[in-house]
Structure formats: C-alpha cells, structure tokens
Amino acid sequence: MEFQPVFETKKKRPVVIAGPCSAETEEQVLTTAKALAKQNIDLFRAGIWKPRTRPNSFEGVGTPGLAWLRRVKEETGLKVTTEVAKAQHVYETLKYGVDVLWLGARTTVNPFSVQEIADALEGVDIPVLIKNPINPDLKLWIGAIERIYKAGIRKIGVIHRGFSSFQDSKYRNTPRWQLPIELMRQFPDLTMICDNSHICGRRDILLETAQIAMDLNFAGLMTETHPDPDNAWSDAKQQITPATFSQMIDQLVLREPTSSDEDFLEHIEDLRHQIDYLDNELLDLLGKRMEIADKIGLYKKRNNISILQPSRWNEILKIAAEKGQSRGLSAEFIEKVLKAIHQESINHQEAVMNQPERRSARS
Ligand code: PEP
Ligand code: MN
C-alpha cells in the first residue's frame, strides 16, 4: 500500500486536531472552533454520532450537528472532521462538506462495519483517519486500513487512542506503544496521530503522553477541547479548554528525527555498534540456552518427567526480578522477557519429547 499525506502542511510537527468530544450545541461548537482557529490548528473535530458504552448516555446530536460544522468552516476557515460508523453517516457527512472522516475504535474492531463504510466511500476522494481497534490486535487495525484503501482512498492516517484493559492502570486505555511503533515500521508513510485524550481519560497526564508521542516521531495529536470541560456532555474528565490546549502544545519539546552534524552521526554510530554487538551476544546466549532446553527435554522424556515444575519456575522469576532491579531493569520488563524465554524453552522441550527418538543412523 502506498499512502498520500493527509495534511498538506508546511509547518513543523505536530499536526494538531482539536475540538470537543461531542458537538452539543451550535454555540458550544462555534465558541470552541473560534478559540482554536486563533491557534492555527490543522483540523477541527467534533463527534456528531457518539458510540457510548451504556445506553441512556448522550448519543450525539446527529445530522443537525453537521450544519454547525459547516458554519465552522464558513466562519473560521478551519477544516472539519467527524466520526462515521455506518454508510448513512458517510452519505450525510459528504452532503454537508465534512473534510476528513474518522473511524472510531469500536468501528475498526468490526470488519462488517468497516466494509460498509468502505463501500460507501467507493469513488470518493476524502481523507480518512482510522483509530486503533479497542483490543490490541495489529492485524485488525491493518485490515481496516486495507478495506478503506481498497475503496480507492489514498489519504489515510491512523490514530492511536490506546487499548482497553481489564487491569487498573493510570490510563483509561493502555497505550501499548509497541503497536503503533510496529505499524509505523511496516508503513512509514502512514500519518500517525496520537489521541492523548482517550489514552489518558484525565487531564493531568495529557502533556506527558503527548510528549511520548512526539519523542516517538508521531506526526501529530488529537486532543479533546471544550469551553467548559467539567460540564461536557461526554468525556468530561479528559477534556481541556482551548487555552489549556494552547499551553500543552507550547510546552511540547520537539526533537528532530535525525541530524546531519558529523560529530553527532559519528557518536550515534558508535553507540549503535555497541548495541548491535550486544544484541548479537544476546541471540547467541538464547540459542545456547535453547540447546540446553533440548537436552533437558530429552532427559525428562527418558525419565518420564513432566516439562513444567511450577515451584522452580516461580523461584527463577523471583531471583531474576531481584537481580534485574540491581541492574536498572524493571520487574515488569524482566517478567515479560523471562516469560517469553520460558515459553520458547517449553516449546523446545515439547518438540523433543514428542518426537520419536532416532535409534541409529541406519534404522
Ligand atoms: C471520540 O473520539 O470521541 C471517540 C469516541 O473515540 P474512540 O473511538 O477512540 O473511543
Ligand atoms: Mn471522546
């Protein structure tokens, strides 16, 4: 797939998309848009149809809100975007001249819905932003991109809004940065936007989250802004005023993706060599570890002993977490790495145990 840029902007990063979670009233939409227009944002967002977790919540103003977005365009010159979740939404938004469409997390997760939208977009030239699915499934995210691409859309961007999780965390939706990083690796020309509002679910960590996105070379941000956030009809806890939004953008530290300075290049090259060398060592060690796992597998097989001994495994984890800490490695990281190594070790032992032993070369 070859993508075209969603934003034709000559200014430096970040591209910014801002506006309320939901369009509530014409006045609220216009007040927010006028304040944001002064800050030169790239795109004004407002949800018209709102996918809510529980019924009886505010589900959006529907089609009348599209006329408010049209007024935003006329009165501020801003481009506007809203979420579409079915074909009917696509037809309505196109009628009202919405500039960019976005697919929400609850839509990306459902191939039927994405296909319905893709079919409605066939032959239309409009940029589309695709949020990640609510569950951390990269293939599903890529699948949605492919469906929209097959409809002929080339100006496709993606929005990272985090992934829902059963575990309590400081985030409303866990970022799992490795997923957007992998998507950027596979498709370097996809415009990657960070929706820090839905990742955080609260105001106090919006800036630090936006900073992480900038440090990871994201193209831009989508942040929910509201003139009176505490009284917003949806997502009140995470919305900020246009003034706070402006402060957030001003406080971001923007770093260059690379430099042409000779000294810098030489030094970074040297450090990268060191990393490559150590990665090689790690791979050699892992290979050796698996050779021993194979031997253990064979030995256990001959003595009819099961692969897993939970008490030994717990002991290994505990000791490693302690050792890791003294080397500046987090317990969470050590656990992840060791679990992956352990699983590979089990796979090796399984293979050895369930393979018929070759008795002699001739038989
Ligand atoms: C939104 O942007 O307001 C929204 C509903 O987001 P998400 O699809 O990420 O939950
Ligand atoms: Mn929202």
Side-chain angles (χ1 to χ4, degrees):
M1 290 187 283
E2 274 177 29
F3 304 102
Q4 290 166 8
V6 174
F7 299 93
E8 283 135 29
T9 164
K10 290 201 177 60
K11 73 169 195 183
K12 283 179 113 190
R13 281 182 316 133
V15 167
V16 285
I17 309 173
C21 176
S22 307
E24 299 165 3
T25 65
E26 187 163 25
E27 197 204 337
Q28 168 248 9
V29 168
L30 282 155
T31 310
T32 319
K34 283 179 184 161
L36 290 169
K38 292 198 192 113
Q39 300 175 24
N40 284 326
I41 64 163
D42 299 276
L43 189 60
F44 179 78
R45 64 150 284 156
I48 299 291
W49 299 280
K50 299 302 300 177
R52 305 306 300 275
T53 306
R54 310 273 304 266
N56 306 323
S57 311
F58 170 61
E59 293 191 314
V61 292
T63 306
L66 292 172
W68 308 342
L69 289 184
R70 194 165 55 192
R71 260 194 83 185
V72 166
K73 288 180 63 157
E74 286 162 4
E75 293 185 23
T76 68
L78 284 174
K79 289 193 169 181
V80 297
T81 182
T82 197
E83 174 175 350
V84 290
K86 50 188 187 181
Q88 191 58 28
H89 296 165
V90 174
Y91 303 138
E92 296 284 318
T93 48
L94 294 178
K95 236 189 304 177
Y96 281 85
V98 172
D99 301 284
V100 176
L101 306 182
W102 93 72
L103 269 62
R106 293 162 194 77
T107 302
T108 308
V109 86
N110 182 350
F112 286 131
S113 302
V114 176
Q115 193 56 52
E116 181 183 317
I117 293 167
D119 292 343
L121 282 170
E122 194 84 45
V124 181
D125 183 19
I126 190 168
V128 178
L129 300 168
I130 304 173
K131 288 202 178 196
N132 63 258
I134 37 186
N135 54 325
D137 184 340
L138 189 59
K139 289 211 181 96
L140 205 47
W141 200 357
I142 296 174
I145 298 167
E146 286 168 340
R147 286 176 197 277
I148 300 298
Y149 188 87
K150 277 172 89 178
I153 307 282
R154 293 295 173 267
K155 289 181 186 151
I156 297 181
V158 282
I159 303 176
H160 170 229
R161 50 78 79 196
F163 302 90
S164 65
S165 152
F166 183 59
Q167 276 167 348
D168 281 341
S169 101
K170 73 173 185 179
Y171 298 107
R172 175 178 173 193
N173 291 295
T174 321
R176 297 180 187 270
W177 295 102
Q178 62 276 21
L179 275 98
I181 289 172
E182 176 58 17
L183 195 59
M184 287 192 273
R185 189 189 67 74
Q186 288 188 34
F187 305 101
D189 50 354
L190 258 184
T191 307
M192 174 67 79
I193 303 289
C194 171
D195 173 347
N196 55 342
S197 301
H198 290 90
I199 291 177
C200 299
R202 51 196 257 199
R203 294 170 199 145
D204 58 330
I205 53 171
L206 285 172
L207 173 62
E208 64 177 59
T209 307
Q211 185 62 55
I212 297 175
M214 291 302 99
D215 291 343
L216 293 174
N217 236 1
F218 277 46
L221 297 169
M222 180 192 247
T223 305
E224 289 183 340
T225 50
H226 192 286
D228 180 10
D230 283 337
N231 292 307
W233 297 2
S234 60
D235 289 352
K237 285 199 196 125
Q238 70 199 30
Q239 301 209 57
I240 51 177
T241 62
T244 312
F245 173 76
S246 161
Q247 283 168 12
M248 181 186 80
I249 299 295
D250 287 346
Q251 285 180 68
L252 287 173
V253 182
L254 298 181
R255 300 176 229 269
E256 297 297 330
T258 185
S259 157
S260 51
D261 181 84
E262 295 268 322
D263 277 351
F264 169 83
L265 289 175
E266 214 170 286
H267 190 53
I268 201 88
E269 183 73 2
D270 178 42
L271 292 172
R272 283 180 176 154
H273 273 311
Q274 294 182 41
I275 292 265
D276 289 348
Y277 172 78
L278 289 174
D279 280 352
N280 239 329
E281 294 278 289
L282 279 174
L283 290 176
D284 278 348
L285 283 174
L286 285 172
K288 283 189 188 135
R289 194 190 190 283
M290 293 311 150
E291 281 171 21
I292 298 181
D294 289 343
K295 285 186 188 154
I296 292 185
L298 196 59
Y299 195 60
K300 282 182 181 165
K301 180 182 181 182
R302 290 183 179 157
N303 291 282
N304 207 22
I305 306 286
S306 64
I307 293 180
L308 189 66
Q309 272 99 42
S311 57
R312 165 145 170 85
W313 173 223
N314 272 332
E315 190 63 16
I316 292 178
L317 269 183
K318 197 169 134 252
I319 295 170
E322 284 164 12
K323 281 192 182 160
Q325 221 157 22
S326 68
R327 289 167 171 79
L329 305 169
S330 72
E332 189 198 354
F333 169 71
I334 291 291
E335 188 176 322
K336 264 194 209 150
V337 170
L338 272 190
K339 280 188 173 162
I341 294 175
H342 188 238
Q343 185 57 53
E344 181 70 6
S345 207
I346 290 178
N347 295 347
H348 271 252
Q349 293 189 40
E350 277 278 359
V352 169
M353 280 192 162
N354 296 311
Q355 210 172 51
E357 262 182 69
R358 284 202 294 169
R359 303 225 169 258
S360 80
R362 255 172 287 135
S363 62

